[in-house]
Amino acid sequence: MKVNGQAIAENLNLFATKPKVLEVPVPGVVEVVGVKDGGRGITYAVKLPGAAEDNVYFNTTSEGSSNSYTLIAP
C-alpha cells in the first residue's frame, strides 16, 4: 500500500483473521497495489471511519495492477 507515492505497508496478508488498521493522512492519495494472486484473485475491503455511515468498500485488483483512492477533507 502506498500513500502519496510512498510505501507504508508491504506484504499484507489478506487471509489474516484480524483486519489491518493503517492510518493515512487526509487529504492524500491511497494506492492498493496487487503483488501476488493466490489463485482466486486479489480482493480487499477498505473501511473509512466517518464516511457515509462508516461504509466498507470492496474491490479487486490483479498482479501488477493497482487501485487509487483520493481522500479529501470534509
Side-chain angles (χ1 to χ4, degrees):
M1 174 182 273
K2 296 180 182 179
V3 174
N4 297 327
Q6 299 293 322
I8 65 162
E10 295 182 9
N11 299 323
L12 294 176
N13 181 355
L14 299 181
F15 295 106
T17 56
K18 287 188 170 187
K20 303 287 187 207
V21 177
L22 302 170
E23 292 189 27
V24 298
V26 175
V29 176
V30 175
E31 182 180 9
V32 178
V33 181
V35 177
K36 182 178 179 185
D37 182 344
R40 295 183 287 168
I42 300 170
T43 59
Y44 63 92
V46 176
K47 180 178 181 193
L48 304 173
E53 302 175 12
D54 289 337
N55 284 340
V56 176
Y57 302 93
F58 295 91
N59 208 344
T60 63
T61 192
S62 57
E63 285 186 20
S65 295
S66 65
N67 295 317
S68 295
Y69 303 87
T70 302
L71 307 178
I72 58 173

